[in-house]
Amino acid sequence: MPSAQPATPPTTPPGLEPSLPLPSPCLSYWHKTTRGFPHLNANKVEPPPETAEYTIIGSGISGALTAFSLIESGVPGNKILILEAREAVSGASGRNAGHVRPDAFRGYAAYAAVHGPEQAKKIIVEERKVLHAVDEFVRRHNVPCDFDLTTTFDVCLTPEFAAYEAQSYEAYKAAGGDVSHVQFYEGEEAKKRTRVPEVVAAYEWPAGSSHPAKLAQWLLTSVIDKGAKLWTHCPAVAVTKSEHQGYRWDVRTPRGTVATQTVVHSTNAYAAALLPHLNGYITPNRAQAHSLIPTSALSAEKAFTSTMSLRYSLHHFYSVIQRKGDGTIVLGVSRSNPELSAETLAVRESFDDGAFNQEIVDDALKRFGIMFPEYAAENERHGEGLDHAWTGIIAMTPDSVPYVGAIEELPGQYICAGFNGHGMARIFTCAPGLAKLMLGGSWEDTGLPECFQYGKERLVKAARKGQKGSVW
Ligand SMILES: Cc1cc2nc3c(=O)[nH]c(=O)nc-3n(C[C@H](O)[C@H](O)[C@H](O)COP(=O)(O)OP(=O)(O)OC[C@H]3O[C@@H](n4cnc5c(N)ncnc54)[C@H](O)[C@@H]3O)c2cc1C
């Protein structure tokens, strides 16, 4: 049975105020399997250093990879301090559903409506680049993060959604988007390949999965080995003009103040707590995931070798990865679902990652059995079935793409946040791109879509259009 407590009835008011990470998050499957990480509680009680050249706030994949990229580009490790409010990697990077899954075409129309066709194409191409970047990185550094480069299926479970997918595919292709890596199946072929009897149509393309906490922990270990310092359980509570000569900013924490030249906000859903002008422009959304120990129907030679996104509609879906080795299935769920009660849907906008929701667990298990009847047909032995359920906080932006770059109105401060639940398919080019910008590079040097660049005009545009919350 899951070890976290079920969520209490909704207490979250609409229009949630920004927040620091809450002090008692539940553990995810990824956390439960990495309790031996030696830097989990690094410098938990010590006061932080009085000065640091670079202060990175947040120890998720964004913060850790920004530090790694700075060091790779020649910044001495001992000039970097990483501050983390709770345990190392206690945010979304340690709580996600394990997918490194580029969008292949589906988001094109929605992105095009907000950013125009050229940027929409670039967003999709970028996610494909990230998959290759992660694969290349993990191989080059031999990172033990269980990265599995495979394929993924978009499984259309209704004729309506199959029609939507077909339209998206055609629109992306007509706009010049490359779909040469995407395979299409229907009828018996789709059933055989996905093992889902109710499938209407399916698309397959390259994707991967990883143990995201191990990946972030490897990055942290690597930068610490090169001299960077990690302070956990040490929230930055304010960033103010420095009172110390020669420094631009004071990063205040409950255990002391760090005078620093450069601040990086790798704080994702929590960014607005330190950057109040982002209030409403980066908002929290609680997502839930589950680990399942498979019955023999999905074990050993019957284990899934591809990952899946199984969709009843654009906003009602389930994601599945099955880990090699321990065979654990990680079952993600969409944040919208017409079958959930209003009470459950009302607590989506929340910073509370200390609990899980039992109604979402029940729905996920029921749907998993419907989608994979071979699993449901078998009686679970003790030890099989639901292993754990957990939540994490996703950061949404009104235009569905991250904020990357200098915060020009606050010279010396940078941001890499707002990944809209796609961080694993975005951060591996965004964080290295941010490091380039910090070291004097131009936006072109980052190679990132222009629409990812942080700028006040994006906020103004979102406000003008009344955009609040992502298109997803
Ligand atoms: C349930 C769930 C499923 C998901 N599934 C997927 C998936 O399958 N594929 C995918 O691509 N993405 C997925 N995501 C999204 C993905 O996990 C995120 O986009 C990504 O991890 C963001 O990384 P990050 O480093 O920017 O943020 P985080 O990992 O959230 O790191 C931010 C860190 O900053 C710390 N922090 C914040 N404020 C402060 C402060 N003031 N002082 C000190 N520290 C602070 C936080 O504690 C946290 O550790 C999922 C997310 C969730 C929650």
Side-chain angles (χ1 to χ4, degrees), residues 88-164:
V89 200
S90 50
S93 299
R95 309 180 164 274
N96 60 48
H99 249 137
V100 185
R101 184 178 201 269
D103 186 348
F105 59 86
R106 182 177 358 98
Y108 173 73
Y111 290 131
V114 180
H115 297 285
E118 278 314 305
Q119 290 297 310
K121 257 196 301 184
K122 286 190 181 184
I123 294 168
I124 289 174
V125 169
E126 193 61 28
E127 294 204 355
R128 199 171 163 195
K129 280 203 277 185
V130 169
L131 175 67
H132 295 298
V134 175
D135 179 42
E136 196 274 327
F137 186 92
V138 167
R139 280 171 201 271
R140 178 154 45 99
H141 299 286
N142 207 8
V143 184
C145 66
D146 309 337
F147 182 66
D148 180 21
L149 182 63
T150 175
T151 64
T152 190
F153 289 104
D154 240 18
V155 182
C156 307
L157 296 168
T158 60
E160 294 76 22
F161 187 67
Y164 179 89

Side-chain angles (χ1 to χ4, degrees), residues 3 29 49 66 93 95 107 186 208 301 379 400 438:
S3 51
Y29 164 83
T66 301
S93 299
R95 309 180 164 274
E186 54 190 340
E301 77 287 358
N379 285 332
S400 307
M438 290 169 67

Side-chain angles (χ1 to χ4, degrees), residues 20 58 61-62 84-85 91-93 95-97 99 236 392 421-424 427:
L20 293 175
I61 291 186
S62 308
E84 168 52 53
S93 299
R95 309 180 164 274
N96 60 48
H99 249 137
H422 278 235
M424 310 311 293
I427 294 170

Side-chain angles (χ1 to χ4, degrees), residues 20-21 57-63 83-87 89-101 234-237 266-270 274 287-289 319 390-394 416-417 419-425 427:
L20 293 175
I57 308 173
S59 70
I61 291 186
S62 308
L83 293 178
E84 168 52 53
R86 311 182 293 193
E87 282 179 354
V89 200
S90 50
S93 299
R95 309 180 164 274
N96 60 48
H99 249 137
V100 185
R101 184 178 201 269
C234 193
V237 295
S266 296
T267 45
N268 216 27
Y270 309 95
L274 298 178
Q288 184 161 316
S319 74
W390 67 92
T391 49
I393 311 301
I394 281 172
C416 188
F419 288 100
N420 290 270
H422 278 235
M424 310 311 293
I427 294 170

